[in-house]
Coordinates of all heavy atoms in Angstrom, one line a residue:
M25 N 0.8 -1.2 0.0 CA 0.0 0.0 0.0 C 0.9 1.2 0.0 O 1.9 1.3 0.6 CB -0.9 0.0 1.2 CG -1.8 1.1 1.3 SD -3.0 0.8 2.6 CE -3.3 2.5 3.1
S26 N 0.5 2.3 -0.7 CA 1.2 3.5 -0.8 C 1.1 4.2 0.5 O 0.3 4.0 1.3 CB 0.6 4.4 -1.9 OG 0.7 3.8 -3.1
N27 N 2.1 5.1 0.7 CA 2.1 5.9 2.0 C 1.0 7.0 1.9 O 1.0 7.9 1.1 CB 3.4 6.6 2.2 CG 4.5 5.6 2.5 OD1 4.2 4.5 3.0 ND2 5.7 5.9 2.2
V28 N 0.0 6.9 2.8 CA -1.1 7.8 2.9 C -0.7 8.9 3.9 O -0.3 8.6 5.0 CB -2.4 7.1 3.3 CG1 -3.5 8.1 3.5 CG2 -2.8 6.1 2.3
S29 N -0.8 10.2 3.5 CA -0.5 11.2 4.5 C -1.7 12.0 4.8 O -1.7 12.8 5.8 CB 0.7 12.1 4.0 OG 0.3 13.2 3.3
L30 N -2.8 11.9 4.1 CA -4.0 12.7 4.4 C -5.2 11.9 4.0 O -5.3 11.3 2.9 CB -4.0 14.0 3.6 CG -4.9 15.0 4.1 CD1 -4.3 16.4 4.1 CD2 -6.2 15.1 3.3
I31 N -6.2 11.8 4.9 CA -7.4 11.1 4.7 C -8.6 12.0 4.9 O -8.6 12.8 5.9 CB -7.6 9.9 5.7 CG1 -6.5 8.8 5.4 CG2 -9.0 9.2 5.5 CD1 -6.5 7.7 6.4
N32 N -9.6 12.0 4.0 CA -10.8 12.8 4.1 C -11.9 11.8 4.2 O -12.1 11.0 3.4 CB -11.0 13.7 2.9 CG -12.2 14.5 2.9 OD1 -13.0 14.4 3.8 ND2 -12.3 15.4 2.0
Y33 N -12.7 11.8 5.4 CA -13.8 10.9 5.6 C -15.0 11.8 5.8 O -15.0 12.7 6.7 CB -13.5 10.0 6.8 CG -14.7 9.1 7.1 CD1 -14.9 8.0 6.3 CD2 -15.5 9.4 8.1 CE1 -15.9 7.1 6.6 CE2 -16.6 8.5 8.4 CZ -16.8 7.4 7.6 OH -17.8 6.6 7.9
S34 N -16.1 11.5 5.1 CA -17.3 12.2 5.3 C -18.5 11.2 5.2 O -18.3 10.0 4.7 CB -17.5 13.3 4.3 OG -17.5 12.8 3.0
T35 N -19.6 11.6 5.8 CA -20.8 10.7 5.7 C -21.9 11.5 5.1 O -22.0 12.7 5.1 CB -21.2 10.2 7.1 OG1 -21.6 11.3 7.9 CG2 -20.1 9.4 7.8
R36 N -22.9 10.7 4.5 CA -24.1 11.2 4.0 C -25.2 10.4 4.5 O -25.2 9.2 4.5 CB -24.2 11.2 2.4 CG -23.0 11.8 1.7 CD -23.3 13.3 1.5 NE -22.3 13.9 0.7 CZ -21.1 14.3 1.0 NH1 -20.7 14.1 2.2 NH2 -20.3 14.9 0.2
E37 N -26.3 11.1 5.0 CA -27.4 10.3 5.5 C -28.7 10.6 4.6 O -28.9 11.7 4.2 CB -27.7 10.8 6.9 CG -28.7 9.9 7.6 CD -28.7 10.0 9.2 OE1 -27.6 10.1 9.7 OE2 -29.8 10.1 9.7
F38 N -29.5 9.6 4.4 CA -30.6 9.7 3.5 C -31.9 9.3 4.3 O -31.8 8.5 5.2 CB -30.4 8.7 2.3 CG -29.1 9.0 1.6 CD1 -28.0 8.4 1.9 CD2 -29.1 10.0 0.6 CE1 -26.8 8.7 1.3 CE2 -27.9 10.3 0.0 CZ -26.7 9.6 0.3
T39 N -33.0 9.8 3.8 CA -34.3 9.5 4.4 C -34.8 8.1 4.0 O -35.6 7.5 4.8 CB -35.3 10.5 4.2 OG1 -35.5 10.7 2.7 CG2 -34.9 11.9 4.8
T40 N -34.4 7.6 2.9 CA -34.9 6.3 2.4 C -33.7 5.4 1.9 O -32.7 6.0 1.4 CB -36.0 6.4 1.3 OG1 -35.4 6.9 0.1 CG2 -37.1 7.3 1.8
K41 N -33.9 4.1 1.8 CA -32.9 3.2 1.2 C -32.8 3.5 -0.3 O -31.7 3.5 -0.8 CB -33.3 1.8 1.4 CG -32.3 0.8 0.9 CD -32.6 -0.6 1.3 CE -31.6 -1.6 0.8 NZ -30.7 -1.3 -0.3
G42 N -33.9 3.9 -0.9 CA -33.9 4.2 -2.4 C -33.0 5.4 -2.7 O -32.3 5.4 -3.7
E43 N -33.1 6.4 -1.8 CA -32.3 7.6 -2.0 C -30.8 7.2 -1.9 O -30.0 7.7 -2.6 CB -32.6 8.7 -1.0 CG -33.9 9.4 -1.3 CD -34.3 10.4 -0.2 OE1 -33.6 10.5 0.8 OE2 -35.3 11.1 -0.4
M44 N -30.5 6.4 -0.9 CA -29.1 6.0 -0.6 C -28.6 5.2 -1.8 O -27.5 5.4 -2.3 CB -29.0 5.2 0.6 CG -27.6 4.7 0.9 SD -27.5 3.7 2.4 CE -28.4 2.2 1.8
D45 N -29.4 4.2 -2.3 CA -29.0 3.4 -3.4 C -28.8 4.2 -4.7 O -27.9 4.0 -5.4 CB -30.1 2.3 -3.7 CG -30.1 1.2 -2.6 OD1 -29.1 1.1 -1.8 OD2 -31.1 0.5 -2.5
S46 N -29.7 5.2 -4.9 CA -29.5 6.1 -6.0 C -28.2 6.9 -5.9 O -27.5 7.1 -6.9 CB -30.7 7.1 -6.1 OG -30.6 8.0 -7.1
Y47 N -27.9 7.4 -4.7 CA -26.6 8.1 -4.5 C -25.4 7.2 -4.8 O -24.5 7.6 -5.5 CB -26.5 8.6 -3.0 CG -25.2 9.3 -2.7 CD1 -25.0 10.6 -3.0 CD2 -24.2 8.6 -2.1 CE1 -23.8 11.2 -2.7 CE2 -23.0 9.2 -1.8 CZ -22.8 10.5 -2.2 OH -21.6 11.1 -1.9
I48 N -25.4 6.0 -4.4 CA -24.3 5.0 -4.6 C -24.2 4.8 -6.1 O -23.1 4.8 -6.7 CB -24.5 3.7 -3.8 CG1 -24.4 4.0 -2.3 CG2 -23.5 2.7 -4.3 CD1 -24.8 2.9 -1.4
R49 N -25.3 4.5 -6.8 CA -25.3 4.3 -8.3 C -24.7 5.6 -9.0 O -23.9 5.4 -9.9 CB -26.7 4.1 -8.8 CG -27.1 2.6 -8.8 CD -28.3 2.4 -9.6 NE -29.4 3.3 -9.3 CZ -30.3 3.1 -8.3 NH1 -30.2 2.1 -7.5 NH2 -31.3 4.0 -8.1
K50 N -25.1 6.8 -8.5 CA -24.7 8.0 -9.2 C -23.1 8.1 -9.0 O -22.4 8.6 -9.9 CB -25.4 9.2 -8.6 CG -25.0 10.5 -9.2 CD -25.2 10.5 -10.7 CE -26.6 11.0 -11.0 NZ -26.8 11.1 -12.5
Q51 N -22.6 7.8 -7.8 CA -21.2 7.8 -7.5 C -20.5 6.9 -8.5 O -19.4 7.3 -9.0 CB -20.9 7.4 -6.1 CG -21.3 8.5 -5.1 CD -20.6 9.8 -5.3 OE1 -19.4 9.8 -5.2 NE2 -21.3 10.8 -5.5
D52 N -21.0 5.7 -8.8 CA -20.4 4.8 -9.7 C -20.4 5.4 -11.1 O -19.5 5.1 -11.9 CB -21.1 3.4 -9.7 CG -20.8 2.7 -8.4 OD1 -19.9 3.0 -7.7 OD2 -21.6 1.8 -8.0
E53 N -21.5 6.1 -11.5 CA -21.6 6.7 -12.8 C -20.6 7.8 -12.9 O -20.1 8.1 -14.0 CB -23.0 7.2 -13.0 CG -24.0 6.1 -13.2 CD -25.5 6.6 -13.2 OE1 -25.7 7.8 -13.2 OE2 -26.4 5.7 -13.1
I54 N -20.4 8.6 -11.9 CA -19.6 9.8 -12.0 C -18.1 9.4 -11.9 O -17.3 9.9 -12.7 CB -19.9 10.8 -10.8 CG1 -21.3 11.4 -11.0 CG2 -18.8 11.9 -10.6 CD1 -21.8 12.1 -9.8
F55 N -17.7 8.5 -11.0 CA -16.3 8.2 -10.8 C -16.0 7.0 -11.7 O -15.8 5.8 -11.3 CB -16.0 7.9 -9.4 CG -15.7 9.1 -8.6 CD1 -16.7 9.8 -7.9 CD2 -14.4 9.6 -8.5 CE1 -16.5 10.9 -7.2 CE2 -14.2 10.8 -7.8 CZ -15.2 11.4 -7.2
T56 N -16.0 7.2 -13.1 CA -15.7 6.2 -14.0 C -14.2 5.9 -13.9 O -13.5 6.6 -13.2 CB -16.0 6.7 -15.5 OG1 -15.2 7.9 -15.7 CG2 -17.5 7.1 -15.6
E57 N -13.7 4.9 -14.7 CA -12.3 4.6 -14.7 C -11.5 5.8 -15.2 O -10.4 6.1 -14.6 CB -12.0 3.4 -15.6 CG -12.4 2.1 -15.0 CD -12.0 0.9 -15.8 OE1 -10.9 1.0 -16.4 OE2 -12.7 -0.1 -15.9
E58 N -12.0 6.5 -16.2 CA -11.3 7.7 -16.7 C -11.2 8.8 -15.7 O -10.1 9.4 -15.5 CB -12.0 8.2 -18.0 CG -12.0 7.2 -19.1 CD -13.1 6.2 -19.0 OE1 -14.1 6.3 -18.2 OE2 -13.0 5.2 -19.8
V59 N -12.3 9.1 -15.0 CA -12.3 10.1 -13.9 C -11.4 9.7 -12.8 O -10.6 10.5 -12.3 CB -13.7 10.4 -13.4 CG1 -13.7 11.3 -12.2 CG2 -14.6 11.0 -14.5
T60 N -11.5 8.5 -12.4 CA -10.6 8.0 -11.3 C -9.2 8.1 -11.7 O -8.3 8.5 -10.8 CB -11.0 6.5 -10.9 OG1 -12.3 6.5 -10.5 CG2 -10.1 6.0 -9.8
K61 N -8.8 7.8 -12.9 CA -7.4 7.9 -13.4 C -6.9 9.4 -13.2 O -5.8 9.6 -12.8 CB -7.3 7.5 -14.8 CG -5.9 7.5 -15.3 CD -5.8 7.0 -16.8 CE -4.4 7.1 -17.2 NZ -4.2 6.7 -18.6
I62 N -7.8 10.4 -13.6 CA -7.4 11.8 -13.4 C -7.2 12.1 -12.0 O -6.2 12.8 -11.6 CB -8.5 12.7 -14.0 CG1 -8.6 12.5 -15.5 CG2 -8.3 14.1 -13.7 CD1 -9.8 13.1 -16.2
F63 N -8.0 11.6 -11.1 CA -7.8 11.9 -9.6 C -6.5 11.2 -9.1 O -5.8 11.8 -8.3 CB -9.0 11.4 -8.8 CG -10.1 12.4 -8.8 CD1 -11.0 12.6 -9.9 CD2 -10.3 13.2 -7.7 CE1 -12.0 13.5 -9.8 CE2 -11.3 14.1 -7.6 CZ -12.2 14.3 -8.7
I64 N -6.2 10.0 -9.6 CA -5.0 9.3 -9.2 C -3.8 10.1 -9.7 O -2.8 10.3 -8.9 CB -5.0 7.9 -9.7 CG1 -6.0 7.0 -8.9 CG2 -3.6 7.2 -9.7 CD1 -6.3 5.7 -9.5
E65 N -3.8 10.6 -10.9 CA -2.7 11.4 -11.4 C -2.6 12.7 -10.6 O -1.4 13.2 -10.5 CB -3.0 11.8 -12.9 CG -2.8 10.6 -13.8 CD -3.3 10.8 -15.2 OE1 -3.8 11.9 -15.5 OE2 -3.1 9.9 -16.0
A66 N -3.6 13.2 -10.0 CA -3.6 14.4 -9.2 C -3.1 14.1 -7.7 O -2.8 15.0 -6.9 CB -4.9 15.1 -9.1
G67 N -3.0 12.8 -7.4 CA -2.5 12.4 -6.1 C -3.4 11.6 -5.2 O -3.0 11.3 -4.0
M68 N -4.6 11.3 -5.6 CA -5.5 10.5 -4.8 C -5.0 9.1 -4.9 O -4.6 8.6 -5.9 CB -6.9 10.5 -5.4 CG -7.9 9.7 -4.6 SD -9.5 9.6 -5.4 CE -9.2 8.4 -6.6
L69 N -4.9 8.4 -3.7 CA -4.5 7.1 -3.6 C -5.6 6.0 -3.6 O -5.5 4.9 -4.2 CB -3.6 6.9 -2.4 CG -2.4 7.7 -2.3 CD1 -1.7 7.6 -1.0 CD2 -1.4 7.4 -3.5
R70 N -6.7 6.4 -3.0 CA -7.8 5.5 -2.9 C -9.1 6.3 -2.6 O -9.1 7.3 -1.9 CB -7.6 4.5 -1.8 CG -8.6 3.4 -1.7 CD -8.1 2.3 -0.8 NE -8.2 2.6 0.6 CZ -8.9 1.9 1.5 NH1 -9.5 0.8 1.1 NH2 -9.0 2.3 2.7
R71 N -10.2 5.8 -3.1 CA -11.6 6.3 -2.8 C -12.5 5.1 -2.6 O -12.5 4.2 -3.4 CB -12.1 7.1 -4.0 CG -13.5 7.6 -3.9 CD -14.0 8.2 -5.2 NE -15.4 8.2 -5.2 CZ -16.2 7.2 -5.6 NH1 -15.7 6.1 -6.1 NH2 -17.5 7.3 -5.5
V72 N -13.2 5.2 -1.5 CA -14.1 4.1 -1.1 C -15.5 4.7 -0.6 O -15.5 5.6 0.1 CB -13.5 3.2 0.0 CG1 -14.5 2.1 0.4 CG2 -12.2 2.7 -0.4
V73 N -16.6 4.1 -1.1 CA -17.9 4.4 -0.6 C -18.4 3.2 0.1 O -18.4 2.1 -0.5 CB -18.9 4.8 -1.7 CG1 -20.3 5.1 -1.2 CG2 -18.3 6.0 -2.5
T74 N -18.8 3.4 1.4 CA -19.2 2.2 2.2 C -20.6 2.5 2.8 O -20.9 3.7 3.1 CB -18.3 2.0 3.4 OG1 -18.3 3.1 4.2 CG2 -16.9 1.7 2.9
Q75 N -21.4 1.5 2.9 CA -22.7 1.6 3.6 C -22.5 1.4 5.1 O -21.8 0.5 5.5 CB -23.7 0.6 3.1 CG -25.1 0.9 3.7 CD -26.2 0.0 3.0 OE1 -25.9 -0.7 2.0 NE2 -27.3 0.0 3.6
I76 N -23.0 2.3 5.9 CA -22.9 2.2 7.4 C -24.2 1.5 7.9 O -25.3 2.0 7.7 CB -22.7 3.6 8.0 CG1 -21.4 4.2 7.4 CG2 -22.6 3.5 9.5 CD1 -21.2 5.6 7.8
W77 N -24.0 0.4 8.6 CA -25.1 -0.5 9.0 C -25.4 -0.4 10.5 O -26.1 -1.3 11.0 CB -24.8 -1.9 8.7 CG -24.6 -2.2 7.2 CD1 -23.4 -2.0 6.5 CD2 -25.5 -2.6 6.3 NE1 -23.6 -2.4 5.2 CE2 -24.9 -2.8 5.0 CE3 -26.9 -3.0 6.4 CZ2 -25.5 -3.2 3.9 CZ3 -27.5 -3.4 5.2 CH2 -26.8 -3.5 4.0
N78 N -24.8 0.5 11.3 CA -24.9 0.4 12.7 C -26.2 0.8 13.4 O -26.3 0.6 14.6 CB -23.7 1.1 13.3 CG -23.7 2.6 13.1 OD1 -24.4 3.1 12.2 ND2 -22.9 3.3 13.8
K79 N -27.1 1.3 12.7 CA -28.4 1.7 13.2 C -29.5 1.2 12.4 O -29.5 1.4 11.1 CB -28.5 3.2 13.4 CG -27.7 3.8 14.5 CD -28.1 5.3 14.7 CE -27.3 5.9 15.8 NZ -27.6 7.3 16.0
K80 N -30.5 0.6 13.0 CA -31.7 0.2 12.2 C -32.5 1.4 11.7 O -32.6 2.4 12.3 CB -32.6 -0.7 13.2 CG -33.7 -1.4 12.5 CD -34.4 -2.3 13.4 CE -35.5 -3.1 12.7 NZ -36.2 -4.0 13.6
E81 N -33.0 1.2 10.5 CA -33.8 2.2 9.8 C -33.0 3.5 9.5 O -33.6 4.6 9.4 CB -35.1 2.5 10.5 CG -36.0 1.3 10.6 CD -36.4 0.7 9.3 OE1 -36.7 1.5 8.4 OE2 -36.3 -0.5 9.2
T82 N -31.7 3.5 9.5 CA -30.8 4.6 9.1 C -30.1 4.3 7.9 O -29.6 3.2 7.7 CB -29.8 4.9 10.2 OG1 -30.5 5.2 11.4 CG2 -28.9 6.1 9.9
F83 N -30.1 5.2 6.9 CA -29.6 5.0 5.6 C -28.4 6.0 5.4 O -28.6 7.1 5.2 CB -30.6 5.1 4.5 CG -31.9 4.3 4.8 CD1 -33.0 4.9 5.3 CD2 -31.8 3.0 4.6 CE1 -34.1 4.2 5.6 CE2 -33.0 2.2 4.9 CZ -34.1 2.8 5.4
R84 N -27.2 5.4 5.6 CA -26.0 6.3 5.7 C -24.9 5.6 4.9 O -24.7 4.4 5.0 CB -25.6 6.5 7.1 CG -24.5 7.4 7.4 CD -24.2 7.6 8.9 NE -25.3 8.1 9.6 CZ -25.7 7.8 10.8 NH1 -25.0 6.9 11.4 NH2 -26.7 8.3 11.4
V85 N -24.1 6.5 4.3 CA -22.8 6.0 3.6 C -21.7 6.8 4.1 O -21.8 7.9 4.6 CB -22.9 6.1 2.1 CG1 -24.0 5.2 1.5 CG2 -23.1 7.5 1.6
G86 N -20.5 6.2 4.1 CA -19.2 6.8 4.4 C -18.4 6.9 3.1 O -18.4 6.0 2.3
I87 N -17.7 8.0 2.9 CA -16.9 8.2 1.7 C -15.5 8.5 2.2 O -15.3 9.4 3.0 CB -17.4 9.4 0.9 CG1 -18.9 9.2 0.5 CG2 -16.5 9.5 -0.4 CD1 -19.8 10.0 1.2
I88 N -14.5 7.7 1.8 CA -13.2 7.9 2.2 C -12.3 8.2 1.0 O -12.4 7.5 0.0 CB -12.6 6.5 2.8 CG1 -13.5 6.1 4.0 CG2 -11.1 6.7 3.2 CD1 -13.2 4.7 4.5
F89 N -11.6 9.3 1.1 CA -10.6 9.6 0.1 C -9.2 9.6 0.8 O -9.0 10.2 1.9 CB -10.8 11.0 -0.5 CG -11.9 11.2 -1.4 CD1 -13.2 11.5 -0.9 CD2 -11.7 11.0 -2.8 CE1 -14.3 11.6 -1.8 CE2 -12.8 11.1 -3.7 CZ -14.1 11.5 -3.2
E90 N -8.2 8.9 0.2 CA -6.9 8.9 0.7 C -6.0 9.6 -0.3 O -6.1 9.4 -1.5 CB -6.4 7.5 1.0 CG -7.2 6.8 2.0 CD -6.8 5.3 2.2 OE1 -5.9 4.8 1.4 OE2 -7.3 4.7 3.2
Y91 N -5.1 10.5 0.2 CA -4.2 11.3 -0.6 C -2.8 11.1 -0.2 O -2.5 10.9 1.0 CB -4.6 12.8 -0.5 CG -6.0 13.1 -0.9 CD1 -6.9 13.2 0.2 CD2 -6.4 13.2 -2.2 CE1 -8.3 13.5 -0.1 CE2 -7.7 13.5 -2.5 CZ -8.7 13.6 -1.4 OH -10.0 13.9 -1.7
K92 N -1.8 11.3 -1.2 CA -0.4 11.1 -0.8 C 0.1 12.3 0.0 O 1.0 12.1 0.8 CB 0.4 10.9 -2.0 CG 0.5 12.0 -3.0 CD 1.4 11.6 -4.2 CE 1.4 12.7 -5.2 NZ 2.2 12.3 -6.4
D93 N -0.5 13.5 -0.2 CA -0.1 14.7 0.6 C -1.1 15.8 0.5 O -2.1 15.7 -0.2 CB 1.3 15.1 0.2 CG 1.4 15.5 -1.3 OD1 0.4 15.9 -1.9 OD2 2.5 15.3 -1.8
Q94 N -0.8 16.9 1.2 CA -1.7 18.0 1.2 C -1.9 18.6 -0.2 O -3.0 19.1 -0.6 CB -1.3 19.1 2.1 CG -2.3 20.2 2.3 CD -1.9 21.2 3.5 OE1 -0.8 21.0 4.1 NE2 -2.7 22.1 3.7
T95 N -0.8 18.7 -1.0 CA -0.9 19.2 -2.4 C -1.9 18.3 -3.2 O -2.7 18.8 -4.0 CB 0.5 19.2 -3.0 OG1 1.3 20.1 -2.3 CG2 0.4 19.7 -4.5
A96 N -1.8 17.0 -3.0 CA -2.7 16.1 -3.8 C -4.1 16.4 -3.4 O -5.0 16.4 -4.2 CB -2.3 14.7 -3.5
Y97 N -4.4 16.6 -2.1 CA -5.7 16.9 -1.6 C -6.3 18.2 -2.3 O -7.4 18.2 -2.8 CB -5.7 17.1 -0.1 CG -7.0 17.6 0.5 CD1 -8.1 16.8 0.7 CD2 -7.1 19.0 0.8 CE1 -9.3 17.3 1.2 CE2 -8.3 19.5 1.3 CZ -9.4 18.7 1.5 OH -10.5 19.2 2.0
K98 N -5.5 19.2 -2.3 CA -5.9 20.5 -2.9 C -6.1 20.3 -4.4 O -7.1 20.8 -4.9 CB -4.8 21.6 -2.7 CG -4.8 22.0 -1.2 CD -3.7 23.1 -1.0 CE -3.7 23.5 0.4 NZ -2.6 24.5 0.7
N99 N -5.3 19.6 -5.1 CA -5.5 19.3 -6.5 C -6.8 18.6 -6.7 O -7.6 18.9 -7.6 CB -4.3 18.4 -7.1 CG -3.0 19.2 -7.1 OD1 -3.0 20.4 -7.1 ND2 -2.0 18.5 -7.2
C100 N -7.1 17.6 -5.9 CA -8.3 16.8 -6.1 C -9.6 17.6 -5.7 O -10.6 17.4 -6.3 CB -8.2 15.5 -5.3 SG -7.0 14.3 -6.0
Q101 N -9.4 18.5 -4.7 CA -10.6 19.4 -4.4 C -10.9 20.3 -5.6 O -12.1 20.5 -5.9 CB -10.3 20.2 -3.2 CG -10.2 19.4 -1.9 CD -11.4 18.5 -1.7 OE1 -12.6 19.0 -1.6 NE2 -11.2 17.2 -1.7
S102 N -9.9 20.7 -6.3 CA -10.2 21.5 -7.5 C -10.9 20.7 -8.6 O -11.8 21.1 -9.2 CB -8.9 22.1 -8.1 OG -8.3 23.0 -7.2
L103 N -10.5 19.4 -8.7 CA -11.1 18.5 -9.6 C -12.6 18.2 -9.2 O -13.4 18.2 -10.1 CB -10.3 17.2 -9.7 CG -9.0 17.3 -10.4 CD1 -8.3 15.9 -10.3 CD2 -9.2 17.6 -11.9
N104 N -12.8 18.1 -7.9 CA -14.2 17.9 -7.4 C -15.1 19.0 -7.8 O -16.2 18.8 -8.3 CB -14.2 17.7 -5.9 CG -13.9 16.3 -5.5 OD1 -14.2 15.3 -6.2 ND2 -13.3 16.1 -4.3
I105 N -14.6 20.2 -7.6 CA -15.4 21.4 -8.0 C -15.7 21.5 -9.4 O -16.8 21.7 -9.9 CB -14.7 22.7 -7.5 CG1 -14.7 22.8 -6.0 CG2 -15.4 24.0 -8.1 CD1 -13.7 23.8 -5.4
L106 N -14.7 21.2 -10.3 CA -14.9 21.2 -11.7 C -15.9 20.1 -12.1 O -16.7 20.3 -12.9 CB -13.5 21.0 -12.4 CG -13.5 20.9 -13.9 CD1 -14.1 22.2 -14.5 CD2 -12.1 20.6 -14.4
Q107 N -15.8 18.9 -11.5 CA -16.7 17.8 -11.8 C -18.1 18.2 -11.5 O -19.0 17.9 -12.2 CB -16.2 16.6 -11.0 CG -17.0 15.4 -11.4 CD -16.5 14.2 -10.6 OE1 -15.8 14.3 -9.6 NE2 -16.8 13.0 -11.1
V108 N -18.3 18.8 -10.3 CA -19.7 19.2 -9.9 C -20.3 20.2 -10.9 O -21.4 20.1 -11.4 CB -19.7 19.8 -8.5 CG1 -21.0 20.5 -8.2 CG2 -19.4 18.7 -7.5
L109 N -19.5 21.2 -11.3 CA -19.9 22.1 -12.3 C -20.3 21.5 -13.7 O -21.3 21.8 -14.3 CB -18.9 23.2 -12.5 CG -18.7 24.2 -11.3 CD1 -17.5 25.1 -11.5 CD2 -19.9 24.9 -11.0
L110 N -19.4 20.6 -14.1 CA -19.7 19.9 -15.4 C -20.9 19.1 -15.3 O -21.7 19.0 -16.3 CB -18.4 19.1 -15.8 CG -17.2 19.8 -16.2 CD1 -16.0 18.9 -16.4 CD2 -17.5 20.7 -17.5
N111 N -21.1 18.4 -14.2 CA -22.3 17.6 -14.1 C -23.6 18.5 -14.0 O -24.6 18.1 -14.6 CB -22.3 16.7 -12.8 CG -21.4 15.5 -13.0 OD1 -21.3 15.0 -14.1 ND2 -20.7 15.1 -12.0
A112 N -23.5 19.6 -13.4 CA -24.7 20.5 -13.3 C -25.0 21.0 -14.7 O -26.1 21.2 -15.1 CB -24.3 21.7 -12.4
M113 N -23.9 21.3 -15.5 CA -24.1 21.8 -16.9 C -24.8 20.7 -17.7 O -25.7 21.0 -18.5 CB -22.8 22.3 -17.5 CG -22.3 23.5 -16.9 SD -20.6 24.0 -17.4 CE -20.6 23.8 -19.1
L114 N -24.4 19.5 -17.5 CA -24.9 18.4 -18.3 C -26.4 18.2 -17.9 O -27.3 18.1 -18.8 CB -24.2 17.1 -17.9 CG -24.8 15.8 -18.6 CD1 -24.7 15.9 -20.1 CD2 -24.0 14.6 -18.1
V115 N -26.8 18.3 -16.7 CA -28.2 18.2 -16.2 C -29.0 19.3 -16.9 O -30.1 19.1 -17.4 CB -28.3 18.2 -14.7 CG1 -29.7 18.4 -14.3 CG2 -27.7 16.9 -14.1
Q116 N -28.5 20.5 -16.8 CA -29.2 21.6 -17.4 C -29.4 21.5 -18.9 O -30.5 21.8 -19.4 CB -28.4 23.0 -17.2 CG -28.5 23.4 -15.7 CD -29.9 23.7 -15.3 OE1 -30.7 24.3 -16.1 NE2 -30.3 23.4 -14.1
S117 N -28.4 20.9 -19.6 CA -28.6 20.7 -21.0 C -29.6 19.6 -21.4 O -30.2 19.6 -22.5 CB -27.2 20.3 -21.7 OG -26.9 19.0 -21.3
L118 N -29.9 18.7 -20.4 CA -30.9 17.7 -20.6 C -32.3 18.2 -20.3 O -33.3 17.5 -20.7 CB -30.6 16.5 -19.8 CG -29.3 15.7 -20.1 CD1 -29.0 14.6 -19.1 CD2 -29.3 15.2 -21.5
L119 N -32.4 19.3 -19.6 CA -33.8 19.8 -19.2 C -34.5 20.5 -20.4 O -34.1 21.0 -21.3 CB -33.7 20.7 -18.0 CG -33.2 20.0 -16.8 CD1 -33.0 21.1 -15.6 CD2 -34.1 18.9 -16.3

């Protein structure tokens, strides 16, 4: 395993299992092999989406990003912002 120097962990909570499943599917659609490769080139070492099962009737996921250093984190944050904007533009073009 590569040397990880920075980890970003966040959670998302949903009101229904369907919303959570939709979010997970969307993450798989957004983070294609090509997109993941761009993030890896920017310094991301690993990205994982996990379902959190510790409470009944709670629909929550955890998202883990591991980076090789602070510069890699900043580079990937810029890519995240760009990705969100591009996806919003795509949605608008479909409306």
Side-chain angles (χ1 to χ4, degrees):
M25 182 170 148
S26 300
N27 290 337
V28 175
S29 93
L30 197 137
I31 296 174
N32 179 353
Y33 178 77
S34 60
T35 61
R36 303 276 189 280
E37 193 163 316
F38 305 91
T39 55
T40 67
K41 184 175 182 338
E43 287 177 353
M44 180 184 67
D45 291 343
S46 178
Y47 176 84
I48 293 169
R49 271 193 311 278
K50 183 58 90 177
Q51 288 298 302
D52 291 341
E53 292 170 9
I54 292 170
F55 278 91
T56 62
E57 283 186 40
E58 295 82 14
V59 170
T60 300
K61 183 178 177 184
I62 293 168
F63 276 78
I64 288 170
E65 289 170 359
M68 180 185 78
L69 300 174
R70 188 168 77 123
R71 175 188 158 272
V72 178
V73 177
T74 62
Q75 185 173 351
I76 301 170
W77 300 84
N78 63 344
K79 286 188 177 179
K80 190 174 181 179
E81 299 303 315
T82 298
F83 308 102
R84 185 179 300 142
V85 297
I87 305 104
I88 303 167
F89 286 90
E90 296 177 353
Y91 305 97
K92 65 181 179 181
D93 55 29
Q94 188 172 2
T95 300
Y97 169 78
K98 289 179 181 177
N99 291 342
C100 290
Q101 290 309 298
S102 296
L103 289 173
N104 275 331
I105 292 167
L106 179 60
Q107 185 180 21
V108 167
L109 291 174
L110 290 173
N111 283 328
M113 289 170 50
L114 175 62
V115 168
Q116 286 298 321
S117 71
L118 296 174
L119 296 178

